Amino acid sequence: MEPSALHFCVNGRGVIEKNADPETMLLPYLRRNLRLTGTKYSCGGGGCGACTVMISRYDPRTGKIRHYPANACLTPLCSLHGAAVTTVEGVGSTKTRLHPVQERIAKGHGTQCGFCTPGMVMSLYALLRNHPQPSEEQLADALAGNLCRCTGYRPILDVGRTFCKTSGCCQSKENGVCCLDQGVHGVPEAEEGVRTSPELFSEEEFVPLDPTQELIFPPELMILAEKQPQKPRVFTGDRMTWISPVTLKDLLEAKSKYPQAPVVMGNTSVGPEMKFKGIFHPVLISPDGIEELSVMKHGCNGLTLGAGLSLAQVQDVLADVVQQLPEEKTQVFRALLKQLRTLAGSQIRNMASLGGHIVSRHPDSDLNPLLAAGICTLHVLSKEGARQILLDEHFLSRSPSADLKPQEILLSVTIPYSRKWEFVSAFRQAQRKRNAQAIVNVGMRVFFGDGDGVITELSILYGGVGPATICARDTCRKLIGRHWTEEMLDEACRLVLGEVAIPSTAPGGRVEFRRTLLVSFLFRFYLEVSQGLSRMDPGRYPSLAGKYESAVEDLHPGHHWRTSKHQNVDPKQLPQDPIGRPIMHLSGIKHASGEAVYCDDMPAVDQELSLAFVTSSRAHAAIVSIDLSEALSLPGVVDIVTAKHLGDANSFAQETLLATDKVLCVGHLVCAVIADSEVQAKQAAEKVRIVYQDLEPLILTIEEAIQHNSFFESERKLESGDVEEAFLMADQVLEGEVHMGGQEHFYMETQSMLAVPKGEDEEMDVYVSTQFPKYIQDIVASTLKLPANKVMCHVRRVGGAFGGKVGKTGIMAAVTAFAAHKHGRAVRCILERGEDMLITGGRHPYLGKYKVGFLNDGRIVALDMEHYNNAGSSLDESLLVLENGLLKMENAYKLPSLRCRGRVCRTNLPSNTALRGFGFPQTGLITESCITAVAAKCGLAPEEVREVNMYQGTDHTPYGQEINTEGLARCWSECKAKAAFSLRRAAVDRFNAGSPWKKRGLAMVPLKYPVGLGNVAMGQASALVHIYLDGSVLVTHGGIEMGQGVHTKMIQVVSRELKMPMANIHLRGTSTETVPNANISGGSVVADLNGLAVKDACQTLLKRLEPIISKNPQGTWKDWAQAAFDQSVSLSAIGYFRGYELNIDWEKGKGHPFEYCVYGAACSEVEIDCLTGNHKNIRTDIVMDVGHSINPALDLGQVEGAFIQGMGLYTSEELKYAPQGALHTRGPDQYKIPAICDVPAELHVSFLPPSKNSNTLYSSKGLGESGVFLGCSVLFAIWDAVSAARRERGLPGTLALSSPLTPEKIRMACEDGFTKMIPRDIPGSYVPWDVLV
C-alpha cells in the first residue's frame, strides 16, 4: 500500500502532511512543527488537561458536526485525517480579538501561573460550542479533567458560571427557601447588611457570548469527507505503520493481514502503554468513519451499541434511553451512567471508545464488571464470519476459549434490558471522587424471578482486586435460592472474602482497605436492593427508614455558593492610584490566549540539541560499570556526559551533580545523553547499561534513620520555661506521635531549561524555569569554570514552583550548560512528569513525638516534643526546613514551658526540599494533633482547648520575640461568627445522631504564620527603573513571577510612586544581567522586599526630578523626561532594600527571626461515608488578617490556592514508595492533587479591615504560604466525623492521627462488623508493596 497524505485543519487553516509519522502525537506536532505553543505539555498521559484542544469532525451520513475536547498528548497525528483542530490560539488572541472565555478567565482572576489556563480555556470553549448556556453540572463535568495547582479553582468556576443559565445562587430550594434568603444551612449570617465587598470583576463589562461568531467547520474538509475515496489510508514511519481502513471490509482485511496489530480508536489505552510501559506495536489499525462501528439500535432483548462509539457518546445515548424507557428495563443503563459520570475527564471520555475500553480489559475498569454482571454480549467479526461472545469473567481474564481471535474485531455490544424484580448496581471507590482510577469497583446484579425475595440469579464482579476483573462465581452459586435477608448478607460477606483473595503483597497496596470494600459494597448493594423491593411491594418488604437509610444516600451535594469579603479602598485615595484595587494579573490575557511564553515555548535555536538524564534504578548501590556503547551507536546521539567529564567541577556547595562511584537513591542522576532530538535522547538513555552492587544499609523511613543514627547536622533545640518542673504541676500527662506524609510540588510546568552558548568570550545564556536565577548563575559558572559575569540566567515567568525549582534545577541546568559549552551548541532539557517526580523530591515527611502536661480545663502547662524530618539522600534545604518548622511549631498557642528538639534524617530517597509553608504545615499539624488529643482526654471540644491556650494581646514567643496578637483574636472571633460555629456544631450533632453511616464533622483551626527569612542578608533586594524620553517606564527587579502576581504588584507600586498610569509601565522579566545577586523568590516576601526596592528607585527618581516637575506641574511624563534629559539629569535609578533586621541564635535559642505575623482562622465542615471512606467538603469559612492588601484579587487567589493545596496535602496526596526505594506515584494517574470536585461546596473568604504595619510595603503582608496550613481544618473536620462514628460504635480510646487522611484511613478508622471480618496480615510476615517513609 502506498503512503497517503494526511489532510486536516488547525485553527481554520489547511494542513497537508505527506510524511506523517504514526509515532507522532498532536501535541509535539502543534508545538514544534506549527509553532503553536499555547497548548502545553504537563503530564503526557491525559491526566491533567493542560494540552486540551477541541477536535471537530463532520459526518457526511448525518450532515452533523461533532465538537469535542481531547488531550493532544494522546491524540496520534495520523488519526486526524478530515478533522478540524482548534487550539487556544484559534479561539482568540490579543492581535485579533479575544473570545469571551479568554476575556472572562483573565478578568475574573482565573489565572495565576497561567500554565494550565489554555487547557481550561479549551475545555470551557468546547463546552460552549455544544452548550452555549450550560448547567452548573455540565460546567463541573467539562472541567473535571483539568488540573490547576495555583488558583484553588474557585475563580475558574466563578468565570464558568457567568455562561451558565443561572448564576449567583445555590440553585437549590431547600425547604422551599433559597440559600440567599436563609443564610447558610438555615443559619442566618452573623453580620447583616453587605454580604460581599465590591466584586472582584464586573459581569456587566464582559463581551457577551455570540455563538454565530465561532470558527466555521472548514468547507474543504466537508468536501473531503463527501468525496472520500473508499480505500484505506496508510502512514509509514521509521518504526511503525498506521493503517486507517474506511470500510468494514478493509478493516477485516487489515486485521487478517496483521492479526497482532491492536485496533486503535482514541489511543487512551494503547498510547499510555506505549509511552509509559514501553510496549511497542509495529502496526496499528485505526478504523475511520466505519458506519457499522457506530450503530445504536434497540432490539427486542436489549440495546446494541457500536464498539466505535466514544464513551461520551455512549453516555449521551444512555441518558436519552433512561428517559424514554420504564425504570425496570433500564437498571444496567442507569448503573453504567453512574460509572461514566466519574470515569476519567471529559477529554478522555470523548476519545476513548466503548470497544477499546472493553477489549483493553484493564483490571480496574469501571464498566467491565458491570457489563459482565449485566450479561452483555459481544458481536465479533472476522473474514471467516461473525460470532458472539459472552462478556463474562472468562473473557475478562483473557481465557483463550472465550477471547477474541487475533484476526477478529469487536463490532458491537448488546446490553440487555433489565426485567421486573431485577436489580443492578455499581460502586467504586477512588482516591479522588472524579478523574481517578478506582481502588476497587464492582458490578452487581440480582434477579428474583417471581418477586418472592428468593434469589434466582446473582452476579458479582470486582475490579481493582487482582490482575483481571474477578467474578465471585462460587459465592453467587451458593446463594441461589436464598431469601434476601441479613442472614444471607452475612453469609455472602464471608463467602466473598473466602473466594476473592487479595494477597498481602498485592500491587497497589491498601490491601486491608480493599478487602473491606469488597464487603462494604456488598452491604450497600443489599440495602439498595432492599430499598427497591420495598418501593415495589411495601407490604411484603419493610422500609429501610432509620437504621440503614443513611448507608445508601449519596454524600451531601452541597449548594455551590461562594463569597469573598476583601478590603475596600479608602474613599480619599486618588482614583488613578492602583494600590488596594483588584487589578487583573499582568499576564492574565496572555495566559488565556496562549501567548505567554514559558521556557519550552521559546523557539528552537539553530542546531539545538536535546538532553535526557539517565537515573539510578537502585536506592543504595555501588556503580560497578557503565556501558555507553549501545547508546552512543544510535542515530542522532552526539555525546553522553558522565561525572568523569565534569571532573572536579562535579560538585557545588554540598551537592554532587552526577553520581561518581555510588548512587544514594532511586532517581539519582548518573549521566546525561545529548542527541539531535528529544526522542533520540530518550531512546538512547534507555540503552545505557549500568551494573550495580547493592550496599547496606538501605534506609528509607524515619524510623530506620533513627535506628541507624543516620542524621545530617546536629540536633536543633528550642526551649523556654522549666519543662520538668511544669510537668509536676500538670493534672494529666499524655504521650503520642503523629506521622505526616510528604507532598509533591506538582507544578504544572515540569523542570525546563535551555542553555545557549554565545560563541564569544565563552559567554553562556541560560533560560530556566527557576525561583533562584543567582543560584543557577553560580552553579553554572562553577561547572564551566567561568566567572559569573560570563553566565547570564534569564526567567520570563515560571509555570508554578512552590519551592521546587531551586536545588535540583540548578544541578540539571549546570549539566545542560556543560553540554552546551562542550559542543558549542544550544542544549534544551525538559523533564517528563514521571522523571520530574522521581528526581526532584518534595515536602518532607515528618514524625512528631510529644509528651504534654495539662490541667483538667485543657490548659497546657508543659510540652516536650521531638521532630524528625526525612531529608532524603542530600541535605538540600532540609536543615532550614527543620529550623523554620521549630520556630513556628507553637502556632497560635502560648506554651509557657516548651522543649522541642529536631533532627534531619539522612535516607536513601531523592532529596526533599522546600515546599510552600517550609516545615510549618508539618510541625503545626503535630501541635494541633496534640491539642486535639488533650481535648479528647479532658472531654472538651478541641476549639475550647484552642481558645484557652491561645496567645492574648502582646506576648513573647518561645524564642523571645515580642508579637502583637490582636489580629489572631479578631480572626478567630470573626471566623466563629461568620461560620455560625455554635449553631452548626449543634446541627452537626443532630445530623450524626440520626445518621449511623454518614457522619459530619466540624473543626476550626487558628493560624499564626510568622514571615521573615531569619537574617538580614537573605532579605536584601534590588530594582532598576528606567524612564524613557516618551514618558514610558521599564522596571526590573529580582523577584520571579511564578503565578503570585509579583510583577503586577510591582507595576502597581511604580504607578503609585510616580503617579503614572499602569499602561505606561512595562516589566520584561527577571535576569541576572539587569539585577545582580538577587535572593531566592520564596518565603512569602517576594513582593514585600522587591516592592520596597522598586519604591526606593522611584523615590530616588522623583527626588531628582522634583525641581523639573515643580516648574511644570501640569506637564506630562514625556515633558518631564525630555526636560531632564536636556538638563543632563539621569532617568535611571537603582533601588535597594537592605532587608529586615532579623536574627536567630540557635545556641541560645533566642532571636528576632521574623518581621511580622499573618493571622487567620478556618472553619470547615465535611461529611464522610463510613462504609467507603469518601468525604465531601460541605463548607469552609476563612478569615485572614492581611494587613493592607496591595491587590485583593491576587491576595485572595493566594489564600484560596494555598488552602486547596493544603487540603490536598492533608487528605488526598499520598506518595507511595516501594520497599526498594522506588517511587510508585509518578504522575496524575497515581498521585491525586485536588480537582474541581474537591473544592468546598461553599467557600467564604474574608479579610479583616486594613491594619497598619509601618515597616512593610504599604503595610501589606505576604500571603503566599500561610494558607496551606488552614487546609488541616478539613483534616480535623474529617477526624471529628470519624470520632463521632467511633463513639457511636463504642470503640475504645482515640486513634493515632496521621496525615494524609485518605479514604483508606477514614474507612479503616470507622471500624464495624465489616472491618472486623476481613482477614488481617501480620506485619513482618510479608514484603508489602509500599512502605511509609
Side-chain angles (χ1 to χ4, degrees), residues 456-468:
T456 309
E457 294 173 23
L458 181 64
S459 297
I460 302 170
L461 288 100
Y462 289 103
V465 295

Side-chain angles (χ1 to χ4, degrees), residues 1024-1028 1034 1097 1100-1101 1104 1129-1135:
L1024 190 56
V1025 178
H1026 302 314
I1027 303 174
Y1028 293 94
L1034 179 69
T1100 301
L1101 284 166
R1104 278 187 212 150
V1129 175
S1130 169
L1131 288 167
S1132 176
I1134 292 168

Side-chain angles (χ1 to χ4, degrees), residues 986-1039:
V988 163
D989 293 341
R990 276 197 307 277
F991 175 89
N992 288 344
S995 172
W997 298 98
K998 301 283 190 301
K999 293 293 179 192
R1000 288 191 184 168
L1002 185 68
M1004 195 167 147
V1005 173
L1007 165 74
K1008 171 182 73 68
Y1009 189 83
V1011 175
L1013 301 169
N1015 68 41
V1016 181
M1018 288 285 288
Q1020 61 189 309
S1022 310
L1024 190 56
V1025 178
H1026 302 314
I1027 303 174
Y1028 293 94
L1029 295 186
D1030 62 354
S1032 65
V1033 166
L1034 179 69
V1035 58
T1036 318
H1037 61 96

